């Protein structure tokens, strides 16, 4: 609800509703940041005011003389299609590279509830478990799309591709909570199920579960857990996009044979062949 309220407010309303923690002239305009929003206001009337809600930001960096905000913004809805979030960047001009670096550090701190001039928060360490055979087999591609966002969030990533049934449970038994802050499961609901059961089977289950955060990226078929988590957090979900990174009809990665409806004779032949194979195997 807070995020929807921020998205419905104009730049001027956001300025009036927030007390700036930091404000500085850039030469061609002014940068302001509060606990909720970063804003760039140009000095000329022909310039474009940029306002970014920190609730949408996953990272802040400096590129030459620009402050770059890495965001995941809400798109679609209504006549524009199903609502969903897409990665985006907001680039705000600074006076020089030094100013851009200072502002990137300040915004990063504020995103974590730390004063702009305080030491930066400790880097997070995430263990990413990827099940390449979950659902339609899109887990690797789903993770490849999300990895740049993790990097923008300055996370130290350890990636493991599972190789056999029960692999996640084995990993859960060996996790050192002092060395990992979160575990991200890329696959179907079964990956999370296996991880949680593996953690609760440990002798130090209470301490391990309390210390670790668990995240999930939808790489399975139905991804019911992801959809439920989105709804619980009042986030919009695109059911087509949430199904294992399901792709559209125009995606070249989908074999064209799978896009055509199989004829009835073809279905009968396939079923007959399967029955013969099964019968041969049983004998």
């Amino acid at each position: 609800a807070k995020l929807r309220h921020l998205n419905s407010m104009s730049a001027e309303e956001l300025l009036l509703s927030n007390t700036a923690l930091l404000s500085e002239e850039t030469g061609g305009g002014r940068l302001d940041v509060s606990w909720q929003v970063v804003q760039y206001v140009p000095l000329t009337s022909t310039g474009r005011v940029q306002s970014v809600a920190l609730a949408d930001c996953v990272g802040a960096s400096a590129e030459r003389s620009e402050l770059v905000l890495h965001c995941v913004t809400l798109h679609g809805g209504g006549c524009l299609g199903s609502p969903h979030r897409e990665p985006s960047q907001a680039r705000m001009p600074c006076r020089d590279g030094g100013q851009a670096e200072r502002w990137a550090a300040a915004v990063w701190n504020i995103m974590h509830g730390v004063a702009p001039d305080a030491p930066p928060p400790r880097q997070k360490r995430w263990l990413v478990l990827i099940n390449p055979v979950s659902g339609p087999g899109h887990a690797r591609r789903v993770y490849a799309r999300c990895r740049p966002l993790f990097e923008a969030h300055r996370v130290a990533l350890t990636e493991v591709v599972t190789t056999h049934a029960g692999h996640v449970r084995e990993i859960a038994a060996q996790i050192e909570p002092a060395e990992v802050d979160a575990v991200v499961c890329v696959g179907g609901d079964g990956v999370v199920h296996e991880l949680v059961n593996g953690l609760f089977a440990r002798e130090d289950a209470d301490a391990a579960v309390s210390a670790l955060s668990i995240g999930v990226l939808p790489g399975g078929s139905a991804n019911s857990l992801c959809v439920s988590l989105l709804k619980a957090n009042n986030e919009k979900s695109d059911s087509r996009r949430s199904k294992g990174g399901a792709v559209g009809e125009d995606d070249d990665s989908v074999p064209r044979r799978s896009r055509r409806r199989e004829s009835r004779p073809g279905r009968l032949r396939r079923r007959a062949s399967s029955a013969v194979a099964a019968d041969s195997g049983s004998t």
Side-chain angles (χ1 to χ4, degrees):
K2 176 182 175 182
L3 181 57
R4 288 197 298 270
H5 176 62
L6 285 173
N7 288 336
S8 67
M9 297 173 70
S10 67
E12 291 76 13
E13 289 173 326
L14 282 167
L15 272 179
L16 291 173
S17 65
N18 294 280
T19 301
L21 297 171
L22 186 63
S23 182
E24 192 173 3
E25 299 292 333
T26 64
R30 188 185 73 251
L31 281 168
D32 299 283
V33 61
S34 72
W35 289 115
Q36 294 176 312
V37 67
V38 183
Q39 188 163 2
Y40 171 76
V41 182
L43 296 180
T44 62
S45 58
T46 57
R48 182 172 65 92
V49 174
Q50 296 187 65
S51 186
V52 177
L54 289 180
D56 289 340
C57 288
V58 296
S61 62
E63 293 185 14
R64 297 184 180 179
S65 58
E66 287 185 321
L67 168 65
V68 183
L69 302 178
H70 306 269
C71 309
V72 187
T73 51
L74 191 65
H75 294 269
C79 62
L80 300 178
S82 300
H84 60 279
R85 290 190 176 273
E86 290 285 351
S88 63
Q89 288 184 351
R91 294 177 174 270
M92 301 182 178
C94 297
R95 185 169 49 250
D96 51 39
Q99 186 180 49
E101 291 283 355
R102 290 196 308 275
W103 270 82
V107 171
W108 179 251
N109 277 6
I110 293 170
M111 287 172 57
H112 291 80
V114 180
D117 56 350
R122 179 180 63 82
Q123 185 181 34
K124 297 295 184 180
R125 302 155 301 177
W126 291 2
L127 172 63
V128 183
L129 306 178
I130 306 166
N131 183 0
V133 297
S134 287
H138 293 159
R140 290 179 187 269
R141 185 171 61 187
V142 169
Y143 179 63
R145 290 184 60 193
C146 295
R147 195 179 196 280
L149 298 176
F150 296 166
E151 293 172 343
H153 200 54
R154 307 184 190 182
V155 177
L157 299 169
T158 301
E159 300 155 356
V160 177
V161 177
T162 60
T163 58
H164 55 273
H167 193 181
V168 172
R169 191 181 182 100
E170 295 169 7
I171 293 172
Q174 300 172 359
I175 293 175
E176 292 292 341
E179 300 175 1
V180 178
D181 298 298
V183 182
V184 179
C185 300
V186 190
D189 295 345
V191 182
V192 183
H193 182 272
E194 198 172 313
L195 172 67
V196 171
N197 277 282
L199 291 175
F200 275 105
R202 295 167 56 121
E203 292 184 358
D204 62 343
D206 290 342
V209 172
S210 299
L212 293 171
S213 296
I214 298 176
V216 56
L217 293 178
S221 299
N223 302 300
S224 302
L225 179 59
C226 280
V227 174
S228 298
L229 290 172
L230 287 171
K231 290 182 178 180
N233 286 276
N234 295 317
E235 279 284 346
K236 302 294 184 181
S237 65
D238 183 332
S239 59
R240 186 180 67 83
R241 290 170 180 266
S242 68
K243 291 184 178 180
V247 291
E249 291 293 318
D250 296 329
D251 194 312
D252 291 334
S253 65
V254 180
R256 293 191 177 275
R257 182 180 300 173
S258 67
R259 300 180 195 174
R260 296 195 300 267
R261 182 179 178 83
E262 189 177 16
S263 66
R264 187 171 185 273
R267 290 199 303 274
L268 293 176
R269 286 194 298 269
R270 176 172 53 79
R271 291 172 183 171
S273 299
S274 299
V276 171
D279 184 61
S280 300
S282 64
T283 56

